[in-house]
Amino acid sequence: MSDWWEITGGVTAPRGYKAAGIAAGLKPSGAPDLALIVSDVEAIAAGVFTMSQVTAACVDYCRQRLMSAAGARAILCNAGQANASTGNQGWLDALESAMTLGQALNISSESVLLASTGVIGQRIKMDAFKAGIPKLVESLSENGSDDAAKAIITTDLVTKSIALETTIHDRPVRIGGISKGSGMIHPNMATMLAFVTTDAAVSPGLWQEMLSRAADKSFNAITVDGDTSTNDSLIALANGQSRTPAITEMGAEAEKLEAMLTAVCQHLAKAIARDGEGATCLIEVRVSGAQNERAALQIAKTVTGSSLVKSAIFGRDANWGRIAAAAGRAGVPFEQDDLRIKLGDFLLMEKGQPQQFDRKAASTYLKETAAESSLPQDVAATNNSNDLTVDRNTLKTQRIDNPVIIEVSVGNGKGEGKAWGCDLSYDYVKINAEYTT
């Protein structure tokens, strides 16, 4: 049993935060496309960003800001244009974005962090952007998390949000988060954006360490299609408004806060994987018996990212050979005779040898799992990728509590790891084939 519980409110559940999301005219569809999260006071900021050598202006901007100072008041995100591979003018647009918001909030532009999502190679529509800032600031609300979550999505079918609460020093402490992502998702920051807030008080260095470790166990452990984006960003603010003593080193309080932070990030990461473009189910790969956690995670990522495994799951085919092959090519040494594979409750391989199992029942397990976590028809309709948005009146939360479970054991080591992904369907090709045409 965990030391925390789920609450409502997303990124505005922690004390001292407001959020907003509006339609500023950045998306052709007219859907929400500009989001803002603001702390009432200067907050400690941390970030984890894409490992790609091709980076968006917002990523370069945030890295520069966080290297010079660990404080921030606001996170501003636009959807529709990625502002990546846009040269010096894209960089100037980022600077102007921060300055425009800073003036509207009456804070320093140095306290503004940026994120963008959309088509690579397209600059932000600055005229519409600047015209929308006053309305965005005016819309800030302690109940604005859902609006912000809607304004950051592109090809997503659902919004993604979570908030948890615990007690530290007998006072409530909360962490909330929102994220977006559906395609171009792969470990080493899988296109995804995630914004996390907490009212805990944490020292800058420790907060960054916590976030990096949480990212490794969540956003760096998901894959949809094997592609890492130019814009991937995970940004976290800690404003201390819970009025609890500052956490400056690892100990019981720090471990509790980090565990809750990891839980928030894992929820958001799994929601991204389940909402993979064209996906019909979430896949969870659990690896045990490896030499260490890193080795186990490497195997789990490789199995989860295998196009053949993903295709078999979509076809409801319990093809254990594809799982074994993926585990074997993960770059982690193990004895073939130690390999054990399960799909749900079905034992497929033991001691490196295939086992007799009911293939029809295993296929039914895959079908039923996908059906139980499927979206209602009004939400699961074909996505309009031309507009880079899901223009629906109501976005529903995707179920992530019933994934297809694949268990792989490779020996007697203590290393364990988990990774998440989704199946690979015909619709994935359709969505991405028509992305900009």
Side-chain angles (χ1 to χ4, degrees), residues 111 166 193 225 288 362 386:
S111 293
T166 190
L193 301 175
D225 48 22
S288 62
N386 292 342

Side-chain angles (χ1 to χ4, degrees), residues 113-126:
L113 296 175
L114 302 175
S116 299
T117 183
V119 179
I120 295 171
Q122 290 189 3
R123 289 174 48 205
I124 302 169
K125 297 178 180 178
M126 291 303 293

Side-chain angles (χ1 to χ4, degrees), residues 29-289:
S29 66
D33 49 25
L34 200 56
L36 177 62
I37 302 167
V38 176
S39 172
D40 292 345
V41 299
E42 192 81 358
I44 300 301
V48 179
F49 303 95
T50 180
M51 297 295 289
S52 174
Q53 295 301 301
V54 181
T55 53
C58 57
V59 170
D60 297 335
Y61 172 90
C62 286
R63 281 176 172 159
Q64 186 180 104
R65 288 287 184 261
L66 292 176
M67 283 180 64
S68 61
R73 284 282 305 277
I75 301 171
L76 174 64
C77 178
N78 75 277
Q81 300 85 45
N83 199 24
S85 299
T86 49
N88 186 60
Q89 188 57 55
W91 172 252
L92 294 177
D93 289 344
L95 295 179
E96 186 176 4
S97 298
M99 186 175 300
T100 301
L101 179 65
Q103 292 172 348
L105 289 173
N106 196 27
I107 63 174
S108 169
S109 62
E110 301 282 323
S111 293
V112 177
L113 296 175
L114 302 175
S116 299
T117 183
V119 179
I120 295 171
Q122 290 189 3
R123 289 174 48 205
I124 302 169
K125 297 178 180 178
M126 291 303 293
D127 289 343
F129 170 87
K130 290 189 290 184
I133 289 296
K135 179 183 176 183
L136 184 67
V137 171
E138 185 180 338
S139 300
L140 282 169
S141 165
E142 293 178 352
N143 301 310
S145 182
D146 287 346
D147 291 335
K150 290 178 182 178
I152 65 176
I153 64 174
T154 50
T155 59
D156 307 52
L157 289 176
V158 295
T159 55
K160 301 156 184 74
S161 176
I162 184 70
L164 301 177
E165 180 178 305
T166 190
T167 56
I168 295 178
H169 292 289
D170 296 323
R171 292 187 63 85
V173 172
R174 299 169 178 172
I175 300 180
I178 59 173
S179 66
K180 67 84 55 181
S182 187
M184 202 178 281
I185 305 293
H186 193 58
N188 290 330
M189 290 303 288
T191 303
M192 63 137 283
L193 301 175
F195 309 125
V196 176
T197 59
T198 183
D199 48 21
V202 195
S203 62
L206 186 58
W207 187 230
Q208 181 62 58
E209 291 173 9
M210 288 181 175
L211 188 67
S212 296
R213 288 192 290 264
D216 283 341
K217 295 179 180 179
S218 57
F219 299 108
N220 283 340
I222 60 172
T223 183
V224 169
D225 48 22
D227 278 300
T228 297
S229 170
T230 56
N231 291 55
D232 301 333
S233 301
L234 165 61
I235 301 173
L237 302 181
N239 69 5
Q241 293 301 288
S242 62
R243 306 301 181 188
T244 52
I247 300 173
T248 59
E249 59 184 18
M250 290 306 296
E253 289 80 14
E255 290 174 1
K256 179 185 284 190
L257 185 67
E258 183 173 336
M260 190 163 69
L261 173 63
T262 301
V264 165
C265 290
Q266 286 184 342
H267 176 97
L268 295 174
K270 287 190 285 186
I272 288 174
R274 175 59 188 90
D275 196 22
E277 289 169 341
T280 68
C281 64
L282 176 68
I283 302 170
E284 179 173 298
V285 178
R286 305 171 181 174
V287 175
S288 62

